[in-house]
């Protein structure tokens, strides 16, 4: 088990550092250079790491694996054109997000002409309680599952608007169920608002959620309160029909 942990520690360090030397990795993880070298040799032989001089980096094999995970579910494939369509119709940033291990994972993203740049990207894991799509997903889960997410990850604060208590979260999830869509008002990034809508299969089991995000100066008034939610819920409904039939 420890050997496996060390291998993944090295992979994650190369992900974080982009490139690193044998000495840097050994010092970072408090293990002998010979131990790190054995792991790197295995990862290179398997095609997961590339050596360039005295530096090591992750290979593009991870891209191949990542593409597989994005297309393994038919629903994920069907969601991609809907995300692009929402971005084109709103000129904002649209995304399809799923839950995995209690975190929100960006599976598809598309940017409209006026979309703002954020630190999100396909494959990024984010706090599920601090995003519109995440709240939409949580609202379709039973209480035991929600409690498991809270116990595992807590409700950390990212801005002064983040939901950080159980009572506030459950109140918000009830509001999401009543509205049919979720709202995230600067809960993760100050100055950014978003709306989200759950996407379910034919058994009403949640698969993921669509969301649209943009700056507070545009995400307000009738556009944010009525038109955007109606557009988003309509797209989610169309996607659900495509998935079911």
């Amino acid at each position: 088990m420890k050997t496996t942990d060390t291998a993944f520690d090295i992979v994650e360090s190369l992900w974080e550092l982009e490139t690193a030397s044998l000495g840097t990795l050994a010092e970072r993880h408090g293990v002998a250079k010979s131990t790190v070298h054995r792991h790197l040799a295995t990862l290179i032989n398997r095609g997961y790491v590339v050596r360039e001089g005295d530096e090591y980096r992750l290979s593009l094999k991870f891209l191949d694996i990542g593409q597989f995970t994005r297309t393994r579910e038919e629903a994920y494939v069907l969601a991609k054109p809907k995300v692009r369509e929402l971005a084109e119709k709103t000129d904002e940033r649209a995304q399809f997000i799923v839950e995995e291990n209690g975190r929100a994972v960006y599976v598809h993203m598309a940017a409209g002409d006026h979309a703002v740049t954020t630190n999100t990207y396909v494959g990024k894991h984010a706090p599920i309680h601090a995003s519109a799509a995440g709240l939409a997903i949580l609202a379709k889960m039973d209480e035991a599952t929600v409690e498991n997410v809270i116990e595992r990850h807590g409700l950390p604060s990212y801005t002064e608007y983040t939901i950080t208590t159980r009572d506030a979260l459950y109140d918000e999830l009830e509001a999401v169920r009543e509205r049919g869509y979720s709202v995230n008002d600067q809960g993760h990034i100050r100055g950014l608002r978003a709306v989200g809508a759950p996407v379910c299969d034919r058994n009403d089991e949640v698969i993921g959620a669509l969301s649209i995000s943009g700056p507070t100066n545009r995400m307000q008034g009738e556009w944010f309160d009525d038109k955007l939610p109606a557009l988003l819920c309509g797209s989610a409904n169309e996607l659900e029909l495509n998935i079911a039939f």
Side-chain angles (χ1 to χ4, degrees):
M1 181 67 73
K2 187 174 181 180
T3 298
T4 303
D5 281 340
T6 301
F8 278 105
D9 286 342
I10 291 170
V11 167
E12 290 180 354
S13 288
L14 291 175
W15 177 23
E16 182 180 342
L17 299 173
E18 296 186 9
T19 65
S21 67
L22 183 66
T24 297
L25 292 169
E27 182 178 353
R28 186 180 179 93
H29 297 292
V31 296
K33 286 185 178 180
S34 58
T35 299
V36 175
H37 185 268
R38 286 197 301 273
H39 285 291
L40 287 171
T42 300
L43 290 166
I44 289 170
N45 288 337
R46 298 294 296 267
Y48 291 98
V49 168
V50 173
R51 180 175 181 177
E52 296 176 337
D54 293 330
E55 296 288 306
Y56 298 85
R57 65 171 175 82
L58 299 181
S59 80
L60 292 174
K61 188 168 184 176
F62 285 99
L63 181 62
D64 192 23
I65 294 172
Q67 182 61 23
F68 164 75
T69 61
R70 283 212 301 165
T71 57
R72 70 182 177 213
E73 299 285 349
E74 185 181 9
Y76 297 177
V77 176
L78 294 172
K80 185 175 183 178
K82 281 299 175 187
V83 171
R84 185 171 58 248
E85 181 183 290
L86 284 169
E88 291 172 352
K89 287 183 176 179
T90 63
D91 282 337
E92 301 289 359
R93 187 172 297 279
Q95 43 269 318
F96 177 70
I97 290 174
V98 302
E99 178 272 335
E100 187 174 73
N101 296 324
R103 301 277 284 173
V105 185
Y106 289 79
V107 176
H108 296 298
M109 297 181 67
D113 291 341
H114 298 143
V116 295
T117 301
T118 65
N119 63 345
T120 54
Y121 51 85
V122 170
K124 181 174 181 177
H125 288 59
I128 198 167
H129 73 291
S131 70
L135 290 170
I137 292 170
L138 287 176
K140 296 294 292 186
M141 292 178 169
D142 59 47
E143 185 174 338
T145 304
V146 175
E147 279 296 319
N148 184 57
V149 171
I150 296 172
E151 290 296 326
R152 184 170 186 176
H153 299 289
L155 298 171
S157 176
Y158 296 91
T159 75
E160 63 269 37
Y161 304 103
T162 308
I163 295 171
T164 57
T165 67
R166 275 180 167 81
D167 287 346
L169 178 63
Y170 281 116
D171 286 346
E172 185 59 31
L173 296 183
E174 184 58 33
V176 173
R177 296 182 191 107
E178 291 177 1
R179 287 193 304 258
Y181 64 91
S182 59
V183 174
N184 178 33
D185 187 1
Q186 308 178 75
H188 192 211
I189 299 174
R190 189 177 291 103
L192 195 75
R193 287 191 180 120
V195 292
V199 176
C200 300
D201 61 20
R202 65 177 64 192
N203 299 315
D204 201 35
E205 294 291 330
V206 66
I207 296 169
L210 293 169
S211 67
I212 304 167
S213 57
T216 54
N217 68 299
R218 291 200 296 266
M219 304 291 270
Q220 59 179 315
E222 185 182 4
W223 170 244
F224 184 67
D225 295 332
D226 299 314
K227 293 184 178 180
L228 207 55
L231 175 63
L232 184 64
C233 289
S235 292
N237 181 238
E238 291 171 5
L239 178 54
E240 288 177 336
L241 290 172
N242 290 338
I243 292 169
F245 302 105

